[in-house]
Amino acid sequence: MTNDRIIGQTKAVGFQVGVRRSFSISQEDAWSLLTSSDGLNLWLGESTGISLIPGQTYTTTLGSGEIRIVKPLQQLRLTWQREGWERPSTVQIRILSKADNKTTISFHQEKLSDQYVREEMKKYWETILEKIGERAMKNKSS
């Protein structure tokens, strides 16, 4: 039996992608960077305000969705349907810390329509992690 699946393709949830990066910041600082209005605008698109409350819907310049899970300092899970997509994807963000000033931020997205969207989102999340890194360093030096 051959495995004809493409990288990132799953049996049940279409295509998925995961990107992670470690930063020299605390878990609290990572959470603040991601969940402040500035942080949310960075990775979800500009909005008039997003309430991180399960069941809340949101709309930004890049798309819309619903907040599903909020575990402060640890995890966010939400649906996100970008402009032009036929159906929403699921985005999960985890903040993992094993030391006071070493924290990993992980973006995982599933239910992507095809390998091209997967590749586009891989680049998108890598760019977002770069920008988060720049902000983390700027906040540290200020």
Side-chain angles (χ1 to χ4, degrees):
M1 187 166 136
T2 63
N3 184 350
D4 291 335
R5 265 189 261 148
I6 304 162
I7 291 176
Q9 187 176 24
T10 68
K11 262 187 181 166
V13 292
F15 286 79
Q16 65 180 355
V17 66
V19 178
R20 62 176 43 210
R21 189 160 156 202
S22 294
F23 301 97
S24 298
I25 57 174
S26 69
Q27 194 167 5
E28 292 80 8
D29 287 344
W31 178 259
S32 294
L33 266 173
L34 289 169
T35 61
S36 67
S37 57
D38 189 40
L40 289 164
N41 286 343
L42 171 69
W43 60 270
L44 267 182
E46 297 288 321
S47 77
T48 54
I50 297 172
S51 298
L52 292 178
I53 299 166
Q56 287 290 109
T57 57
Y58 65 87
T59 301
T60 72
T61 52
L62 296 179
S64 60
E66 180 183 333
I67 306 299
R68 294 282 171 83
I69 294 173
V70 179
K71 291 184 185 172
L73 303 179
Q74 297 174 14
Q75 177 189 14
L76 283 174
R77 187 176 176 94
L78 52 125
T79 63
W80 189 26
Q81 185 167 352
R82 290 192 51 163
E83 291 295 320
W85 286 5
E86 286 181 27
R87 63 180 193 270
S89 65
T90 300
V91 176
Q92 183 162 259
I93 300 138
R94 290 197 180 267
I95 299 170
L96 313 160
S97 185
K98 290 190 171 126
D100 284 349
N101 270 344
K102 184 99 168 133
T103 303
T104 300
I105 298 174
S106 160
F107 286 93
H108 184 266
Q109 190 171 17
E110 59 188 34
K111 297 185 181 173
L112 297 170
S113 57
D114 60 39
Q115 69 212 52
Y116 305 107
V117 172
R118 178 193 181 273
E119 194 54 38
E120 174 190 341
M121 293 315 299
K122 181 175 187 289
K123 287 183 180 124
Y124 178 80
W125 294 122
E126 286 169 346
T127 301
I128 293 301
L129 284 171
E130 272 178 41
K131 289 179 180 176
I132 289 170
E134 289 164 10
R135 288 178 187 206
M137 295 315 295
K138 195 165 76 177
N139 290 353
K140 240 181 153 174
S141 62
S142 60

